[in-house]
Amino acid sequence: MSEITPEVVAQHGLSQDEYKLVLEIMGREPNLTELGIFSVMWSEHCSYKSSKKWLKTLPTTAPWVICGPGENAGVIDIGDGLAAIFKMESHNHPSFIEPYQGAATGVGGILRDVFTMGARPVANLNALRFGSPDHPKTRHLISGVIAGIGGYGNCVGVPTVGGEVNFHPSYNGNILVNAMTVGVAQQDKIFYSAAAGIGNPVVYVGSKTGRDGIHGATMASAEFNADSEEKRPTVQVGDPFTEKLLIEACLELMDTDAIVAIQDMGAAGLTSSSFEMASKGGMGVELELDKVPMREAGMTPYELMLSESQERMLIVLKPGKEDMARAIFEKWELDFAIIGTLTDSGRMVLKWHGEVVGDLPIDPLAAASPEYDRPWIESPKLPEIQAADVPETDWTVALPTLLASPDIASRRWIWEQYDHMVMGDTVQRPGGDAAVVRLHGTTRGLAMTTDCTPRYVKADPVQGGRQAVAEAWRNITAVGGRPLAITDNMNFGNPEKPLIMGQFVGSCQGISEACVALDFPVVSGNVSLYNETAGQAILPTPAIGAVGLLDDIDTMTTVAFKAPSEAIVMIGQGERSGWLGQSLYLREIAGREEGAPPPVDLAQERTTGDFVRGLITGGALSAVHDVSDGGLLVAVAEMAMASGIGATLSVDFGGSLHAALFGEDQGRYIVTVPENGLADLLGKADAVGISARTIGVTGGLAIAVNDQAGPTVADLRNAHEGWLPSYMAANLG
């Protein structure tokens, strides 16, 4: 047995104070297997020790929330006896080291979080962040990540329907790969992870255990350095075909009354799944590790407990149901092994060929892990950028430049590699404000999106947190959905640095304020810290995944103009017109990343969004698009490019034209309405005190502003859709 030296403790990511606590809990020195278990259970990735103080401040309840944070995924009531189950989770460090498998197993892991609760997955989404396009690794990382997401999702037969991509030099050494899955279950067939029943069998199902992924959770809880490339063995290897079999086998077993509790083996593998199930149920567990199905010879208890091999689940069965369950998993050609029993000891006892090789108390590891109140400081307030201080570039040049910039350019090259139509229920495809998936066999649909503007969060974490939630709410509203709940994926740098910790605290505050104002609770989530390389932190990126409901998909709206000669109306107006601070115009045209981001008026977001949604469900609007990156003119151009129909605009907001066209003021929607419906729309807006101004008319083959002719829609589309394929096809050498 290896000696536990200070060096061994440090290699396991435990501080001296944490190891002292280990000794207090154990009453003796742990052996190597026990130390490894403490290491992964108390890792940042599994224990949330730096973040849980602030996560507790988020609003998590509403009448439609069935299960909030704390389970594998969040659960909301969507009516007719159905529930939507969803979550978003990071696989950042593995995807930088091995982009294909890192991204693929991120998709596999989030799928398991959802179907382990009894839901059939109906959609995948993702939120991706890459480094500067001119960084030598960026093309390789994009290629591998997209192939991994597509390869896994396409093979497992779940459509990838939406997502987002940003580029920034801060991600050069630490990309972000956040994967989201949405599933649908019967409300009376939802499964939880709390173990129960002394003597009940603990069953292992799925793939065999190998040596891949050992210390994956620990790796995800540390900064990268020059040796990071050598960590490939900590990246798991995925098999989507096995995952598909596992989904079907689990759902078949869930149709019986055999399951007491079920948990997927994600981060920290058999360790976290067994400890969490036992802790939630107040139980003890005895595991016979030599009975775990293994795919490699000579594996040790340490390796078996810490492996993060994919496509594995842990189930507590009712006694007497073992043979029936075994028959189901063997029919699907999956491993099935009874590896333990529940006890009343409150302890995890690990046996290896009959000999005890580990004996640990469960609650101190699972429920009483360290909780830190780390020092934090507020981000300094940045000054507002006045439009007069930003040089004006002719809009006919600025517009195609912005549309071809990395953060706005079409993602068609990406989503065409994903099967977004499998299952036959995708009714709004990638490229719109939110994806919409029909609830199978009905006329109702789920709307879903992922959103965050990291440059805003860096400039002002509170406003940036508010904006991430508000934009997700707007995107669901823009397709006609009623926003219901969010999942958050909090990606930040090193929390031991007070400024970084302050970014996290501020983002939580902003998210919380927006969720309360918009009745948009947080039902699940994930925290990924230590996203730094050689001291360089990523932009703070609290990605928001959101789900909403359409009562009738026939009322759904899209961004494309529908016909010429329709009025173009802007609904909603920020507290000032033409906010250029932190805008893409400022960065891409003026070459400056500075200033305060646009403020988010949450009361106005709510009233404006509710008003627009009412118009949509009433059939008054022919097209809807929220205004976000690039401002008003980019939004109009996107509507034109989606349809091939041009637009003639008349824009006079009383300030600088470039600020009016490209300012990123929040809480605004561009809508179109047939000419005979315009007066009614404007009258309704006036009656409830909402800003609605006619800014133009659809028609023609080009964009024109204030009597100045601009580029054709075809030329804009070529610029917009050409950048990413050209970039990826460029000579890597």
Side-chain angles (χ1 to χ4, degrees):
M1 187 65 70
S2 301
E3 183 184 356
I4 307 300
T5 64
E7 291 74 24
V8 170
V9 172
Q11 287 166 4
H12 282 75
L14 292 169
S15 69
Q16 290 181 352
D17 286 343
E18 286 169 346
Y19 186 61
K20 285 180 185 174
L21 186 55
V22 170
L23 295 176
E24 286 178 25
I25 289 170
M26 294 292 289
R28 58 174 171 83
E29 186 177 88
N31 61 38
L32 188 64
T33 299
E34 293 165 337
L35 181 70
I37 288 170
F38 271 99
S39 165
V40 292
M41 289 297 291
W42 286 7
S43 68
E44 194 72 61
H45 193 74
C46 291
S47 74
Y48 293 79
K49 58 192 174 187
S50 296
S51 60
K52 54 189 173 185
K53 170 184 168 67
W54 301 102
L55 297 177
K56 292 172 186 175
T57 66
L58 298 174
T60 60
T61 59
W64 53 90
V65 174
I66 295 172
C67 178
E71 270 293 340
N72 287 292
V75 186
I76 56 172
D77 182 350
I78 54 173
D80 292 348
L82 297 177
I85 299 181
F86 64 99
K87 188 182 180 183
M88 182 158 55
E89 203 160 69
S90 61
H91 229 221
N92 303 335
H93 286 48
S95 298
F96 182 81
I97 294 169
E98 215 308 302
Y100 184 95
Q101 290 295 351
T105 52
V107 173
I110 197 63
L111 281 164
R112 286 193 300 280
D113 276 339
V114 167
F115 77 73
T116 192
M117 296 196 70
R120 178 169 291 279
V122 298
N124 289 331
L125 300 91
N126 52 73
L128 311 176
R129 267 82 193 182
F130 296 104
S132 171
D134 59 14
H135 189 273
K137 288 198 72 166
T138 299
R139 275 190 196 85
H140 161 72
L141 291 167
I142 295 172
S143 178
V145 166
I146 302 309
I149 291 170
Y152 204 101
N154 296 354
C155 291
V156 85
V158 177
T160 301
V161 298
E164 57 175 342
V165 183
N166 290 153
F167 296 86
H168 192 273
S170 72
Y171 305 108
N172 281 349
N174 202 124
I175 63 172
L176 302 184
V177 174
N178 297 170
M180 177 176 170
T181 293
V182 181
V184 176
Q186 295 286 337
Q187 288 185 26
D188 59 357
K189 282 282 189 178
I190 296 170
F191 292 83
Y192 298 99
S193 57
I198 297 166
N200 280 353
V202 178
V203 175
Y204 170 119
V205 300
S207 288
K208 289 178 167 60
T209 296
R211 291 189 170 96
D212 55 323
I214 293 173
H215 278 303
T218 311
M219 176 193 70
S221 306
E223 288 186 33
F224 273 167
N225 55 39
D227 301 324
S228 296
E229 294 291 339
E230 298 171 12
K231 293 182 177 177
R232 288 181 191 274
T234 62
V235 178
Q236 309 92 322
V237 178
D239 180 352
F241 298 106
T242 299
E243 181 104 338
K244 173 62 174 171
L245 300 177
L246 189 59
I247 291 173
E248 299 303 331
C250 287
L251 291 177
E252 183 173 335
L253 183 63
M254 288 166 172
D255 272 340
T256 74
D257 65 346
I259 297 175
V260 175
I262 182 167
Q263 172 84 28
D264 78 296
M265 293 191 220
L270 185 54
T271 288
S272 64
S273 56
S274 57
F275 271 86
E276 287 171 13
M277 292 176 84
S279 178
K280 286 177 182 176
M283 305 296 295
V285 183
E286 186 172 292
L287 296 181
E288 298 179 68
L289 295 178
D290 48 289
K291 293 184 178 178
V292 171
M294 298 170 232
R295 68 165 182 259
E296 298 182 49
M299 291 193 72
T300 65
Y302 179 96
E303 293 171 325
L304 291 168
M305 290 301 291
L306 270 58
S307 168
E308 294 183 11
S309 293
Q310 296 293 285
E311 293 86 40
R312 302 179 303 157
M313 311 283 280
L314 203 61
I315 304 174
V316 176
L317 290 176
K318 292 179 181 176
K321 302 291 186 179
E322 298 91 336
D323 290 344
M324 178 198 65
R326 183 189 301 276
I328 290 173
F329 283 90
E330 289 182 351
K331 180 185 79 172
W332 291 99
E333 299 182 346
L334 295 165
D335 276 288
F336 177 99
I338 300 169
I339 64 167
T341 54
L342 296 184
T343 70
D344 61 357
S345 68
R347 301 187 69 83
M348 175 72 64
V349 177
L350 308 176
K351 291 186 175 180
W352 183 245
H353 299 291
E355 180 186 344
V356 175
V357 292
D359 186 348
L360 306 103
I362 286 172
D363 276 348
L365 272 94
S369 59
E371 177 175 328
Y372 295 134
D373 184 3
R374 295 201 183 276
W376 60 276
I377 56 175
E378 284 188 35
S379 296
K381 293 295 181 187
L382 300 178
E384 289 185 22
I385 300 294
Q386 302 302 318
D389 296 331
V390 180
E392 183 163 358
T393 296
D394 191 301
W395 71 265
T396 63
V397 175
L399 178 60
T401 301
L402 282 171
L403 290 175
S405 67
D407 273 5
I408 295 183
S410 170
R411 307 311 189 211
R412 181 183 296 275
W413 180 89
I414 292 174
W415 55 256
E416 283 188 341
Q417 298 182 53
Y418 304 151
D419 188 339
H420 46 271
M421 297 302 291
V422 66
M423 300 177 78
D425 281 324
T426 306
V427 292
Q428 182 149 175
R429 307 180 187 190
D433 283 323
V436 180
V437 174
R438 178 191 292 106
L439 288 168
H440 191 71
T442 77
T443 58
R444 302 191 306 137
L446 290 176
M448 53 199 79
T449 186
T450 62
D451 287 290
C452 184
T453 311
R455 62 184 187 276
Y456 292 176
V457 186
K458 173 77 181 298
D460 184 333
V462 177
Q463 290 292 351
R466 287 172 152 218
Q467 192 273 341
V469 174
E471 185 168 347
W473 196 83
R474 278 200 301 274
N475 281 342
I476 287 176
T477 294
V479 300
R482 185 170 73 255
L484 291 176
I486 70 167
T487 179
D488 57 25
N489 204 149
M490 310 288 279
N491 307 272
F492 291 80
N494 185 343
E496 296 165 45
K497 298 178 179 177
L499 187 62
I500 301 291
M501 194 65 214
Q503 292 173 347
F504 183 87
V505 172
S507 296
C508 285
Q509 179 186 332
I511 289 169
S512 181
E513 290 171 357
C515 289
V516 168
L518 301 174
D519 276 339
F520 208 24
V522 182
V523 297
S524 59
N526 172 247
V527 177
S528 175
L529 303 177
Y530 295 96
N531 289 290
E532 296 201 9
T533 299
Q536 170 66 47
I538 61 163
L539 293 181
T541 311
I544 301 297
V547 172
L549 184 67
L550 283 82
D551 293 318
D552 182 356
I553 56 176
D554 288 340
T555 65
M556 179 187 78
T557 44
T558 63
V559 303
F561 291 149
K562 300 304 183 294
S565 302
E566 293 198 334
I568 303 171
V569 180
M570 185 177 76
I571 299 178
Q573 183 62 59
E575 44 185 82
R576 74 170 218 194
S577 174
W579 194 283
L580 290 175
Q582 295 299 329
S583 68
L584 287 182
Y585 182 92
L586 188 69
R587 190 178 85 189
E588 300 294 334
I589 307 300
R592 295 159 56 185
E593 286 187 68
E594 58 189 78
V600 180
D601 182 332
L602 292 169
Q604 186 225 10
E605 285 282 359
R606 181 66 186 263
T607 54
T608 304
D610 289 347
F611 177 71
V612 169
R613 193 180 316 105
L615 293 173
I616 293 171
T617 55
L621 306 178
S622 51
V624 181
H625 190 18
D626 82 306
V627 180
S628 57
D629 287 348
L632 180 155
L633 190 57
V634 165
V636 170
E638 288 171 340
M639 299 173 85
M641 291 185 296
S643 62
I645 300 171
T648 298
L649 303 184
S650 177
V651 178
D652 180 10
F653 295 168
S656 303
L657 182 63
H658 66 311
L661 295 179
F662 301 111
E664 295 181 6
D665 305 69
Q666 298 295 296
R668 299 182 297 167
Y669 301 80
I670 306 296
V671 308
T672 57
V673 60
E675 195 65 39
N676 61 9
L678 177 61
D680 184 52
L681 186 158
L682 297 178
K684 286 177 178 176
D686 187 57
V688 293
I690 287 175
S691 169
R693 64 174 82 197
T694 307
I695 60 169
V697 63
T698 62
L701 299 175
I703 303 290
V705 177
N706 295 351
D707 298 323
Q708 181 183 7
T712 66
V713 175
D715 286 344
L716 291 175
R717 186 185 282 154
N718 288 337
H720 183 58
E721 296 200 348
W723 179 78
L724 191 52
S726 298
Y727 171 73
M728 293 305 296
N731 188 333
L732 293 175

